[in-house]
Amino acid sequence: MAEHSESGGVSAVMEKISEKIQAHDSSSSSDYDSETDSEKPASVKAQIYRLFGREKPVHKVFGGGKPADVLLWRNKKISAGFLGGATAIWVLFELVEYHLLTLVCHVLILALAILFLWSNAHTFINKTPPRIPEVHLPEEPFLQVASALRIEINQGFAVLRNIASGRDLKKFLIVIAGLWVLSTVGTWCNFLTLFYISFVLLHSVPVLYEKYEDKVDPFAEKAMIEIKKQYLVFDAKVLCKIPKGPLKGKLA
Protein backbone atom coordinates (compact mmCIF):
# COMPACT_ATOMS: atom_id res chain seq x y z
CA MET A 1 0.00 0.00 0.00
CA ALA A 2 2.85 2.37 0.85
CA GLU A 3 4.56 1.60 -2.41
CA HIS A 4 1.33 2.21 -4.33
CA SER A 5 0.81 5.57 -2.64
CA GLU A 6 4.41 6.58 -3.31
CA SER A 7 4.11 5.64 -6.98
CA GLY A 8 0.83 7.57 -7.20
CA GLY A 9 2.48 10.66 -5.68
CA VAL A 10 5.40 10.45 -8.08
CA SER A 11 3.05 10.17 -11.07
CA ALA A 12 1.07 13.19 -9.86
CA VAL A 13 4.26 15.25 -9.57
CA MET A 14 5.35 14.19 -13.05
CA GLU A 15 1.96 15.18 -14.46
CA LYS A 16 2.22 18.63 -12.86
CA ILE A 17 5.73 19.11 -14.28
CA SER A 18 4.60 18.09 -17.76
CA GLU A 19 1.62 20.47 -17.55
CA LYS A 20 3.93 23.34 -16.59
CA ILE A 21 6.29 22.52 -19.47
CA GLN A 22 3.40 22.41 -21.95
CA ALA A 23 2.04 25.70 -20.60
CA HIS A 24 5.48 27.32 -20.96
CA ASP A 25 5.86 25.96 -24.48
CA SER A 26 2.42 27.23 -25.48
CA SER A 27 3.10 30.68 -23.99
CA SER A 28 6.50 30.89 -25.71
CA SER A 29 4.99 29.78 -29.00
CA SER A 30 2.19 32.34 -28.65
CA ASP A 31 4.79 35.03 -27.87
CA TYR A 32 6.77 33.98 -30.93
CA ASP A 33 3.62 34.07 -33.07
CA SER A 34 2.78 37.52 -31.79
CA GLU A 35 6.32 38.70 -32.51
CA THR A 36 6.21 37.31 -36.03
CA ASP A 37 2.77 38.83 -36.53
CA SER A 38 4.10 42.21 -35.43
CA GLU A 39 7.08 41.83 -37.74
CA LYS A 40 4.95 40.84 -40.72
CA PRO A 41 3.64 44.31 -41.59
CA ALA A 42 7.16 45.75 -41.70
CA SER A 43 8.41 42.95 -43.94
CA VAL A 44 5.31 43.21 -46.11
CA LYS A 45 5.78 46.95 -46.43
CA ALA A 46 9.39 46.39 -47.40
CA GLN A 47 8.34 43.95 -50.12
CA ILE A 48 5.56 46.09 -51.63
CA TYR A 49 6.27 46.89 -55.27
CA ARG A 50 6.01 50.53 -56.26
CA LEU A 51 5.85 51.79 -59.82
CA PHE A 52 9.28 52.81 -61.21
CA GLY A 53 10.87 51.62 -57.96
CA ARG A 54 9.93 54.78 -56.08
CA GLU A 55 10.38 54.91 -52.31
CA LYS A 56 8.77 58.31 -51.67
CA PRO A 57 5.12 59.38 -51.84
CA VAL A 58 3.86 60.75 -55.14
CA HIS A 59 3.78 64.28 -53.72
CA LYS A 60 7.48 64.08 -52.81
CA VAL A 61 8.35 62.65 -56.23
CA PHE A 62 7.00 65.84 -57.86
CA GLY A 63 9.07 68.05 -55.54
CA GLY A 64 6.64 68.48 -52.67
CA GLY A 65 6.06 72.20 -53.37
CA LYS A 66 3.42 74.27 -55.10
CA PRO A 67 3.88 72.54 -58.51
CA ALA A 68 3.17 69.20 -56.83
CA ASP A 69 0.08 70.70 -55.16
CA VAL A 70 -1.17 71.86 -58.56
CA LEU A 71 -0.53 68.53 -60.31
CA LEU A 72 -2.13 66.51 -57.49
CA TRP A 73 -5.10 68.87 -57.09
CA ARG A 74 -4.36 69.84 -53.50
CA ASN A 75 -5.91 73.23 -54.34
CA LYS A 76 -8.72 72.45 -56.75
CA LYS A 77 -9.34 76.07 -57.76
CA ILE A 78 -5.74 76.67 -58.87
CA SER A 79 -5.48 73.29 -60.63
CA ALA A 80 -8.79 73.84 -62.41
CA GLY A 81 -7.62 77.34 -63.39
CA PHE A 82 -4.44 75.99 -64.99
CA LEU A 83 -6.32 73.25 -66.82
CA GLY A 84 -9.05 75.65 -67.95
CA GLY A 85 -6.49 78.17 -69.19
CA ALA A 86 -4.64 75.50 -71.17
CA THR A 87 -7.95 74.30 -72.64
CA ALA A 88 -8.92 77.85 -73.63
CA ILE A 89 -5.54 78.39 -75.34
CA TRP A 90 -5.85 75.10 -77.21
CA VAL A 91 -9.40 75.87 -78.36
CA LEU A 92 -8.38 79.38 -79.37
CA PHE A 93 -5.40 78.35 -81.48
CA GLU A 94 -6.45 74.89 -82.68
CA LEU A 95 -10.22 75.00 -83.16
CA VAL A 96 -10.78 78.70 -83.80
CA GLU A 97 -7.44 78.80 -85.68
CA TYR A 98 -6.36 82.05 -84.07
CA HIS A 99 -2.70 82.98 -84.61
CA LEU A 100 -0.35 83.82 -81.77
CA LEU A 101 0.96 87.06 -83.25
CA THR A 102 -2.58 88.24 -84.01
CA LEU A 103 -3.71 87.42 -80.47
CA VAL A 104 -0.78 89.26 -78.87
CA CYS A 105 -1.35 92.35 -81.05
CA HIS A 106 -5.09 92.42 -80.34
CA VAL A 107 -4.56 92.06 -76.58
CA LEU A 108 -1.99 94.87 -76.59
CA ILE A 109 -4.25 97.12 -78.68
CA LEU A 110 -7.16 96.57 -76.30
CA ALA A 111 -5.06 97.10 -73.15
CA LEU A 112 -3.30 100.22 -74.45
CA ALA A 113 -6.58 101.74 -75.68
CA ILE A 114 -8.30 101.20 -72.32
CA LEU A 115 -5.37 102.63 -70.33
CA PHE A 116 -4.96 105.59 -72.68
CA LEU A 117 -8.63 106.54 -72.56
CA TRP A 118 -8.77 106.06 -68.81
CA SER A 119 -5.70 108.24 -68.29
CA ASN A 120 -7.19 111.10 -70.33
CA ALA A 121 -10.81 110.78 -69.20
CA HIS A 122 -10.28 110.51 -65.44
CA THR A 123 -11.00 114.23 -64.99
CA PHE A 124 -14.39 113.89 -66.68
CA ILE A 125 -15.51 110.77 -64.83
CA ASN A 126 -14.11 111.91 -61.44
CA LYS A 127 -11.93 108.87 -60.92
CA THR A 128 -8.28 108.51 -60.12
CA PRO A 129 -5.99 107.76 -63.07
CA PRO A 130 -4.77 104.20 -63.45
CA ARG A 131 -1.56 103.30 -61.68
CA ILE A 132 0.56 101.65 -64.29
CA PRO A 133 3.38 99.76 -62.54
CA GLU A 134 6.94 99.87 -63.74
CA VAL A 135 8.02 96.42 -64.84
CA HIS A 136 11.67 95.42 -64.43
CA LEU A 137 12.67 91.85 -65.15
CA PRO A 138 15.34 90.63 -62.71
CA GLU A 139 18.48 89.13 -64.14
CA GLU A 140 19.07 86.32 -61.63
CA PRO A 141 16.05 84.08 -62.46
CA PHE A 142 16.88 84.16 -66.16
CA LEU A 143 20.49 83.23 -65.42
CA GLN A 144 19.33 80.35 -63.19
CA VAL A 145 16.97 79.04 -65.87
CA ALA A 146 19.67 79.33 -68.52
CA SER A 147 22.19 77.54 -66.30
CA ALA A 148 19.76 74.70 -65.49
CA LEU A 149 18.83 74.39 -69.17
CA ARG A 150 22.50 74.26 -70.15
CA ILE A 151 23.13 71.43 -67.66
CA GLU A 152 20.17 69.41 -68.95
CA ILE A 153 21.24 69.91 -72.59
CA ASN A 154 24.79 68.81 -71.81
CA GLN A 155 23.49 65.71 -70.03
CA GLY A 156 21.30 64.94 -73.05
CA PHE A 157 24.28 65.25 -75.39
CA ALA A 158 26.30 62.95 -73.10
CA VAL A 159 23.53 60.33 -73.15
CA LEU A 160 23.26 60.52 -76.95
CA ARG A 161 27.04 60.16 -77.27
CA ASN A 162 27.00 57.13 -74.97
CA ILE A 163 24.22 55.55 -77.01
CA ALA A 164 25.90 56.28 -80.35
CA SER A 165 29.15 54.68 -79.14
CA GLY A 166 27.50 51.24 -79.32
CA ARG A 167 28.18 50.22 -75.73
CA ASP A 168 24.59 49.71 -74.55
CA LEU A 169 22.35 47.94 -77.06
CA LYS A 170 19.35 47.91 -74.72
CA LYS A 171 19.41 51.69 -74.25
CA PHE A 172 19.92 52.15 -78.00
CA LEU A 173 16.80 50.13 -78.82
CA ILE A 174 14.75 51.97 -76.17
CA VAL A 175 15.72 55.37 -77.56
CA ILE A 176 15.06 54.31 -81.16
CA ALA A 177 11.64 52.94 -80.19
CA GLY A 178 10.81 56.13 -78.27
CA LEU A 179 11.80 58.37 -81.17
CA TRP A 180 9.80 56.23 -83.57
CA VAL A 181 6.72 56.49 -81.34
CA LEU A 182 7.13 60.28 -81.13
CA SER A 183 7.48 60.55 -84.91
CA THR A 184 4.33 58.47 -85.37
CA VAL A 185 2.39 60.59 -82.88
CA GLY A 186 3.70 63.71 -84.64
CA THR A 187 2.01 62.63 -87.85
CA TRP A 188 -1.35 62.44 -86.06
CA CYS A 189 -1.34 65.91 -84.47
CA ASN A 190 0.66 69.12 -84.37
CA PHE A 191 2.93 70.32 -81.58
CA LEU A 192 0.25 72.38 -79.81
CA THR A 193 -2.17 69.44 -79.62
CA LEU A 194 0.61 67.16 -78.42
CA PHE A 195 1.58 69.70 -75.76
CA TYR A 196 -2.05 70.04 -74.64
CA ILE A 197 -2.49 66.26 -74.42
CA SER A 198 0.69 66.02 -72.34
CA PHE A 199 -0.56 68.85 -70.11
CA VAL A 200 -3.90 67.12 -69.54
CA LEU A 201 -2.24 63.79 -68.80
CA LEU A 202 0.14 65.49 -66.37
CA HIS A 203 -2.85 66.95 -64.51
CA SER A 204 -4.89 63.72 -64.46
CA VAL A 205 -2.66 60.63 -64.37
CA PRO A 206 -0.66 61.46 -61.18
CA VAL A 207 -3.74 62.28 -59.11
CA LEU A 208 -5.53 59.13 -60.30
CA TYR A 209 -2.44 57.03 -59.58
CA GLU A 210 -2.13 58.52 -56.09
CA LYS A 211 -5.77 57.63 -55.42
CA TYR A 212 -5.60 54.06 -56.78
CA GLU A 213 -1.91 53.21 -56.29
CA ASP A 214 -2.71 50.12 -54.19
CA LYS A 215 -4.53 48.65 -57.19
CA VAL A 216 -2.18 49.93 -59.90
CA ASP A 217 1.11 48.79 -58.34
CA PRO A 218 0.29 45.03 -58.26
CA PHE A 219 -0.84 45.18 -61.87
CA ALA A 220 2.32 47.08 -62.83
CA GLU A 221 4.43 44.49 -61.02
CA LYS A 222 2.87 41.67 -63.06
CA ALA A 223 3.36 43.68 -66.26
CA MET A 224 7.03 44.34 -65.46
CA ILE A 225 7.64 40.64 -64.74
CA GLU A 226 6.09 39.70 -68.08
CA ILE A 227 8.10 42.39 -69.91
CA LYS A 228 11.32 41.13 -68.33
CA LYS A 229 10.50 37.57 -69.40
CA GLN A 230 9.87 38.66 -72.97
CA TYR A 231 13.06 40.71 -72.97
CA LEU A 232 15.09 37.72 -71.76
CA VAL A 233 13.66 35.65 -74.60
CA PHE A 234 14.43 38.40 -77.11
CA ASP A 235 17.93 38.80 -75.66
CA ALA A 236 18.62 35.08 -75.90
CA LYS A 237 17.34 34.76 -79.47
CA VAL A 238 18.44 38.06 -81.04
CA LEU A 239 20.59 40.39 -78.96
CA CYS A 240 23.17 37.84 -77.89
CA LYS A 241 23.93 37.09 -81.54
CA ILE A 242 24.74 40.74 -82.37
CA PRO A 243 28.43 41.71 -81.92
CA LYS A 244 28.88 44.43 -79.30
CA GLY A 245 31.40 47.26 -79.06
CA PRO A 246 33.75 48.70 -81.67
CA LEU A 247 35.38 46.40 -84.20
CA LYS A 248 38.89 47.89 -83.89
CA GLY A 249 40.23 44.92 -81.99
CA LYS A 250 38.93 42.45 -84.58
CA LEU A 251 40.25 44.48 -87.49
CA ALA A 252 43.67 44.76 -85.89
Side-chain angles (χ1 to χ4, degrees), residues 89-182:
I89 292 174
W90 179 76
V91 170
L92 193 64
F93 289 113
E94 187 65 22
L95 298 183
V96 183
E97 296 184 353
Y98 215 69
H99 298 286
L100 178 62
L101 183 60
T102 305
L103 176 64
V104 172
C105 292
H106 286 177
V107 170
L108 289 176
I109 289 172
L110 181 62
L112 290 174
I114 292 174
L115 292 174
F116 181 82
L117 293 175
W118 189 0
S119 299
N120 288 278
H122 71 277
T123 56
F124 300 101
I125 60 178
N126 296 324
K127 288 188 177 182
T128 57
R131 295 181 180 180
I132 304 174
E134 294 183 1
V135 179
H136 295 285
L137 296 178
E139 183 180 2
E140 185 177 356
F142 287 94
L143 294 177
Q144 292 177 352
V145 171
S147 177
L149 186 62
R150 179 185 63 83
I151 293 173
E152 294 297 330
I153 292 174
N154 288 334
Q155 289 180 353
F157 283 143
V159 171
L160 293 176
R161 182 179 180 276
N162 187 20
I163 293 172
S165 63
R167 298 175 183 174
D168 194 341
L169 183 60
K170 179 181 178 181
K171 189 180 293 185
F172 169 77
L173 294 176
I174 292 174
V175 171
I176 294 298
L179 292 174
W180 181 79
V181 170
L182 285 178

Side-chain angles (χ1 to χ4, degrees), residues 218-238:
F219 179 77
E221 183 180 11
K222 295 178 181 179
M224 288 300 299
I225 292 173
E226 186 64 27
I227 290 172
K228 289 180 180 179
K229 289 181 180 179
Q230 297 299 326
Y231 175 77
L232 290 175
V233 174
F234 181 72
D235 183 47
K237 293 183 178 180
V238 179

Side-chain angles (χ1 to χ4, degrees), residues 86 89-90 93-94 100 182-200:
I89 292 174
W90 179 76
F93 289 113
E94 187 65 22
L100 178 62
L182 285 178
S183 65
T184 304
V185 173
T187 59
W188 298 341
C189 56
N190 56 18
F191 179 76
L192 180 62
T193 302
L194 182 61
F195 179 79
Y196 175 68
I197 293 173
S198 302
F199 190 85
V200 172

